[in-house]
């Protein structure tokens, strides 16, 4: 057991070193930013579509997971997603602490409305426990769904698994399924219990939100494909992939001796 844990930890550290730093940084930032931006709804000309500003960056989180899954596998992408959500929770805690510190926000300097605006800004920055809980559970679940759906769909393309068609199809399918799950889980945890939504409203919101977010994937999926091709050409992550292959052999040997 100790040897297995040691192998897993070594593999995890190697993953963090192997995934390009710029992608990890942007991934973490997008996960945190989409939760902050979700506090602002988007005014739309139709009543049946409900979107928030989190959609502006949420697409990148799923694009990042697709590219990491394609190169490093679903396990690596899921581990990176957990790292991102841990950083998100850390910054949520920091922002919550800052919201409790006495003081005046610069934007609240409006005569007669200082306290109202200041409290509103504190509440926005500090967040609400059930929103943080809902978004965390929803993202972790959708990350697992996205990564393994992407990997599973990719296995259907045996002859041209590295082709553009294979990447685009797997990205569309995994993003659609995972985004729907993400929206639905959040709605069932938060909107249903705290905002008085019905089940139908939760499902409708999840579906329409998924369609809107999928449009971003359609626009940027080719960028993800080119990144994967560049990584493969440059041998990005080769050390990690070689270690994973050797770890499977080592785990099999450990299991045989138990």
């Amino acid at each position: 057991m100790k040897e297995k844990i040691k192998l897993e930890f070594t593999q995890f550290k190697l993953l963090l070193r192997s995934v390009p730093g710029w992608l990890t940084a942007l991934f973490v930032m997008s996960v945190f930013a989409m939760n902050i931006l979700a506090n602002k709804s988007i005014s739309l000309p139709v009543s049946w579509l409900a979107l928030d500003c989190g959609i502006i960056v949420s697409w990148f989180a799923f694009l990042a997971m697709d590219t990491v899954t394609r190169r490093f596998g679903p396990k690596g992408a899921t581990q990176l997603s957990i790292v991102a959500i841990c950083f998100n929770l850390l910054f949520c805690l920091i922002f919550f602490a800052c919201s409790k510190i006495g003081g005046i926000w610069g934007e609240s300097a409006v005569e007669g409305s200082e306290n109202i605006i200041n409290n509103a800004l504190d509440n926005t920055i500090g967040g609400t426990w059930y929103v943080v809980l809902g978004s965390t559970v929803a993202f972790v679940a959708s990350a697992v769904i996205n990564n393994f759906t992407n990997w599973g769909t990719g296995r259907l393309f045996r002859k041209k698994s590295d082709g553009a068609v294979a990447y685009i199809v797997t990205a569309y399918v995994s993003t659609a399924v995972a985004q729907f799950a993400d929206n639905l889980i959040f709605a069932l945890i938060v909107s249903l219990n705290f905002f008085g939504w019905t089940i139908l409203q939760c499902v409708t919101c999840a579906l329409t939100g998924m369609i809107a977010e999928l449009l971003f994937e359609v626009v940027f999926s080719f960028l993800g494909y080119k990144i994967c091709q560049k990584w493969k050409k440059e041998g990005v992550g080769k050390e990690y992939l070689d270690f994973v292959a050797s770890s499977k052999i080592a785990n099999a040997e450990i299991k045989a001796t138990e």
Side-chain angles (χ1 to χ4, degrees), residues 164-190:
V165 173
Y167 179 89
I168 291 172
V169 170
T170 55
Y172 289 1
V173 172
S174 62
T175 298
V177 175
Q179 286 281 16
F180 178 78
D182 181 59
N183 296 334
L184 182 61
I185 293 171
F186 180 83
L188 291 176
I189 293 176
V190 178

Side-chain angles (χ1 to χ4, degrees), residues 4 55 69 77 84-85 105 115 148 158 175 178 188-189 193 208 219 252:
K4 285 185 178 180
I55 194 176
T69 298
I85 204 65
W105 290 95
N115 289 334
F148 283 90
R158 298 183 181 278
T175 298
L188 291 176
I189 293 176
N193 294 291
T208 54
V219 174

Side-chain angles (χ1 to χ4, degrees), residues 243-255:
F243 185 84
V244 170
S246 63
S247 295
K248 290 180 180 179
I249 298 174
N251 281 326
E253 292 176 347
I254 293 171
K255 187 176 181 180

Side-chain angles (χ1 to χ4, degrees), residues 134-201:
S135 62
T136 300
V137 173
F139 181 76
V140 171
S142 64
V144 174
I145 293 171
N146 181 84
N147 300 335
F148 283 90
T149 300
N150 186 291
W151 174 76
T153 306
R155 289 173 64 87
L156 299 176
F157 296 87
R158 298 183 181 278
K159 293 183 178 180
K160 296 183 179 181
S161 59
D162 289 334
V165 173
Y167 179 89
I168 291 172
V169 170
T170 55
Y172 289 1
V173 172
S174 62
T175 298
V177 175
Q179 286 281 16
F180 178 78
D182 181 59
N183 296 334
L184 182 61
I185 293 171
F186 180 83
L188 291 176
I189 293 176
V190 178
S191 303
L192 180 67
N193 294 291
F194 297 95
F195 298 155
W197 284 23
T198 64
I199 294 293
L200 179 60
Q201 285 177 312

